[in-house]
Amino acid sequence: MPPAASRARRALLLGGAALALQPLARATERPNTLAPWQPARPPRLQVVDLETEQPRTLADFAGHALVVNFWASWCAPCRAELPSLNAAADRFAARGLRLLAVNHGEMPERARRFLAEVPIHGTVLLDRSLSQLPAWGGHGLPASFVLDRRGRPRYRAFGELDWLAPAALAALEDAVAG
Amino acid sequence: MQRRHFIRLSTLTPLLGAGAFTSLAGARALPAGADAQGWRSYDITTTVDLSERTGMGRVWVPLPAQQLADASGAYQRVVDTRFDAPGAKQAHVVTGTAGARMLAVEWTDANAPQQLTLTNRVQLRDRATDLGASRQAARLSAEEQRTWLRASASKPLDGIVADTSRKIVGEAGAQSDMEKAKAIYDWIVVNCHREGSVRGCGTGDVKTVLTSGNLGGKCADLNGLFVALARASGVPARDVYGVRVDDSAHGYKSLGKSGDISRAQHCRAEFYAQGYGWVPVDPADVRKVMLEEAKGGLPATDARVRAANAMLFGAWEMNWLGYNSAEDVRLPGHRQAAPVAFLMYPNGETAKGRMDSLDAATFRYAIQSKRVA
């Protein structure tokens, strides 16, 4: 991971538009931080599995704590957080945590080319409609959402995270225990 | 099933006339150079070869506006449009939202190539408004006034957009349309910046630009912001979405592209000033010169930046063609109900989903520009 000061300068990318990390008037929480997440409605996921090309929903992962991470190959902050995100997913995998990496709007060929270079330790899903990120309340990339093993929304983060930082590990611990 | 299309559309305007077409065809052998009226001709060829071949493949390719004109006369006209879509079930020109023209093609045979070749011959000449003296330009109709003062999904005119516009215009003491537009143009050049990490031309989401805290973006963001701020101040304004087709004759390597123009899409802006008509501007390109013209960037005081700044309030070098000014464009027949913010790139979908318009290599489209006269 880059040093914190460098991370703080990184852009949060919105479908092509760069958003500075501070101040984000539209966001109610600080960027680059896992914050408690209480959506008005339970989140729904309508995506396609990159590997099987089959539709997937949250029901397919019932019983698992989840990190739903929205990313794209062109998003530098997404790439930057992947090493720590992969490491965190590995660390909690035995306790039921699953990483759902939702590609935002790209075609399978592009996603596969990226994954050949930068592996993701989770299930890679495609949202070619570009509809899921805004439906989950995201307005830039990367965006991450944590649900506990009962499927309850717990935390969300906009922008690149250090997933091995104590606060992030505590949040994941909370999710797998939930 | 209609297996093959080779359709030539006669798009000659009354202004041009059939006789002019004959002379244009003959001009192909002439040495390159603008004609006596400043017109230059280009063949713009878009090729599509869908990489993801399924039993349902559709594309929507933007077509150049048939004619663009201001109070000084025409500065863009389409001479000819030809396309060939072998194996297509249907291929036709559609006029959609706000007059946006597009070629819509559909293939249904997954086992046959799904290819398109589209060539537009266009004539372009530089555009400039004499800002020195107000003239008797035609007045904008009430309907056009409403259209180009209207909010859109990407250009809300309330909240932070209204507040920012009011602040800019108020601090400048601007009263007339021209003064308001100049104040907004100057504010964007001074306060906004081109953000190289933004994908494509940006999203054109002006509220996000204003709330992001860094006022960064690309042409759809920055010129879109100009349009929104102008509208919020009561000045009719619109983006013109298009593509660069030639190098800049003014020597700016950052403001031109010839040959492979697959990624040269560019959005400009214009506003309507009483007495002047539609006035071209391009504050985003001033910031492009500052970021890209020289390694390490150029300060606002650099002569090249000052020249671009002066030129791009009131003039467009027409090494670029305009497609349309439509916002929130519905693509006829698209399975996805939501409109696209603007139509500047080829769009497509297959049975497996939407194609990524900004990824020409994976979508598999290319756009070539060739100067023909």
Side-chain angles (χ1 to χ4, degrees):
Chain A
M1 290 293 292
S6 168
R7 283 202 309 274
R9 285 194 297 271
R10 282 187 184 277
L12 176 67
L13 299 167
L14 170 66
L19 304 180
L21 293 180
Q22 299 174 20
L24 262 176
R26 293 167 72 180
T28 54
E29 62 263 49
R30 287 191 304 139
N32 306 98
T33 307
L34 271 173
W37 174 42
Q38 294 176 314
R41 284 173 297 192
R44 297 177 63 196
L45 191 64
Q46 292 179 306
V47 289
V48 170
D49 192 308
L50 174 66
E51 193 175 323
T52 65
E53 298 191 351
Q54 295 303 306
R56 304 297 290 266
T57 69
L58 288 178
D60 295 322
F61 304 95
H64 292 281
L66 299 174
V67 174
V68 180
N69 173 260
F70 288 88
W71 67 282
S73 69
W74 46 265
C75 164
C78 301
R79 180 189 286 248
E81 76 170 350
L82 271 175
S84 72
L85 182 56
N86 281 336
D90 291 346
R91 183 181 294 200
F92 288 94
R95 297 172 64 193
L97 181 77
R98 296 291 179 266
L99 168 59
L100 307 185
V102 181
N103 178 277
H104 181 65
E106 295 184 289
M107 295 176 63
E109 182 184 335
R110 176 65 65 187
R112 287 193 189 99
R113 278 204 294 268
F114 177 83
L115 294 171
E117 189 184 334
V118 186
I120 292 179
H121 298 185
T123 304
V124 178
L125 305 165
L126 300 176
D127 171 29
R128 294 177 61 172
S129 72
L130 298 170
S131 66
Q132 296 298 289
L133 177 65
W136 280 60
H139 44 77
L141 292 178
S144 299
F145 301 83
V146 178
L147 297 92
D148 68 22
R149 64 182 183 178
R150 297 182 190 176
R152 296 179 300 193
R154 300 300 296 267
Y155 302 95
R156 72 177 181 184
F158 298 131
E160 171 194 343
L161 271 193
D162 177 357
W163 288 90
L164 297 178
L169 292 175
L172 297 180
E173 184 75 44
D174 192 24
V176 295
Chain B
M1 178 187 292
Q2 194 175 351
R3 300 292 300 174
R4 186 175 173 84
H5 293 262
F6 188 91
I7 301 172
R8 175 173 155 180
L9 300 179
S10 177
T11 55
L12 293 171
T13 64
L15 183 69
L16 188 59
F21 176 75
T22 305
S23 67
L24 176 72
R28 290 178 190 177
L30 295 176
D35 69 12
Q37 286 78 43
W39 290 104
R40 299 176 297 273
S41 297
Y42 298 88
D43 279 348
I44 311 300
T45 301
T46 301
T47 54
V48 177
D49 181 4
L50 288 189
S51 60
E52 188 176 74
R53 213 184 295 164
T54 67
M56 190 282 286
R58 297 184 182 127
V59 297
W60 296 263
V61 183
L63 294 173
Q66 280 193 298
Q67 177 168 296
L68 294 175
D70 62 12
S72 303
Y75 54 89
Q76 172 177 316
R77 54 197 188 193
V78 175
V79 177
D80 194 35
T81 297
R82 297 165 185 245
F83 57 90
D84 183 16
K89 179 184 176 189
Q90 55 179 328
H92 54 274
V93 174
V94 179
T95 301
T97 311
R101 297 172 68 241
M102 65 193 89
L103 178 63
V105 185
E106 180 177 3
W107 295 269
T108 54
D109 185 352
N111 299 313
Q114 298 183 339
Q115 298 171 332
L116 165 69
T117 301
L118 163 69
T119 300
N120 287 286
R121 175 160 294 185
V122 296
Q123 292 185 315
L124 305 167
R125 65 177 174 183
D126 293 344
R127 175 189 187 193
T129 301
D130 180 0
L131 303 177
S134 175
R135 295 166 301 182
Q136 292 304 311
R139 295 182 71 86
L140 210 55
S141 71
E143 185 184 347
E144 282 186 296
Q145 287 251 9
R146 278 195 300 275
T147 298
W148 304 120
L149 285 170
R150 190 179 294 157
S152 69
S154 298
K155 296 181 180 71
L157 303 182
D158 56 359
I160 193 169
V161 177
D163 294 344
T164 306
S165 179
R166 197 177 306 116
K167 180 170 179 287
I168 295 167
V169 169
E171 288 180 356
Q175 300 290 328
S176 68
D177 296 341
M178 188 66 76
E179 290 168 345
K180 289 178 183 175
K182 186 63 166 65
I184 292 165
Y185 176 93
D186 289 343
W187 185 87
I188 288 175
V189 169
V190 169
N191 294 286
C192 298
H193 71 277
R194 180 177 173 86
E195 176 58 59
S197 65
V198 165
R199 195 170 186 234
C201 290
T203 63
D205 179 349
V206 303
K207 189 173 176 185
T208 294
V209 174
L210 288 175
T211 56
S212 68
N214 76 350
L215 297 173
K218 283 191 179 166
C219 56
D221 304 313
L222 303 189
N223 286 338
L225 181 59
F226 172 87
V227 169
L229 293 172
R231 288 181 185 173
S233 76
V235 177
R238 59 192 179 193
D239 292 292
V240 187
Y241 302 101
V243 63
R244 300 184 203 270
V245 300
D246 204 349
D247 300 329
S248 169
H250 297 298
Y252 290 102
K253 61 179 184 293
S254 61
L255 300 187
K257 187 76 177 77
S258 57
D260 181 357
I261 58 168
S262 305
R263 300 177 63 189
Q265 288 80 6
H266 179 54
C267 156
R268 289 181 156 167
E270 58 185 356
F271 66 95
Y272 190 88
Q274 291 296 337
Y276 296 88
W278 285 104
V279 179
V281 296
D282 197 339
D285 261 2
V286 181
R287 296 302 311 202
K288 191 167 197 281
V289 169
M290 293 176 71
L291 182 69
E292 297 178 5
E293 192 62 26
K295 192 174 180 183
L298 293 173
T301 52
D302 186 277
R304 287 163 287 183
V305 176
R306 286 190 286 118
N309 194 10
M311 175 178 71
L312 291 167
F313 187 85
W316 287 346
E317 181 184 1
M318 287 302 289
N319 60 336
W320 165 95
L321 69 79
Y323 291 129
N324 60 73
S325 293
E327 299 164 21
D328 304 332
V329 182
R330 294 199 177 277
L331 301 173
H334 200 295
R335 290 192 303 172
Q336 198 165 315
V340 294
F342 45 77
L343 181 63
M344 185 160 44
Y345 298 85
N347 282 257
E349 67 174 351
T350 73
K352 294 182 177 180
R354 176 189 147 279
M355 314 283 284
D356 184 356
S357 291
L358 299 182
D359 187 354
T362 308
F363 188 124
R364 281 224 298 267
Y365 71 78
I367 310 174
Q368 288 284 331
S369 175
K370 182 183 176 189
R371 174 90 178 265
V372 292

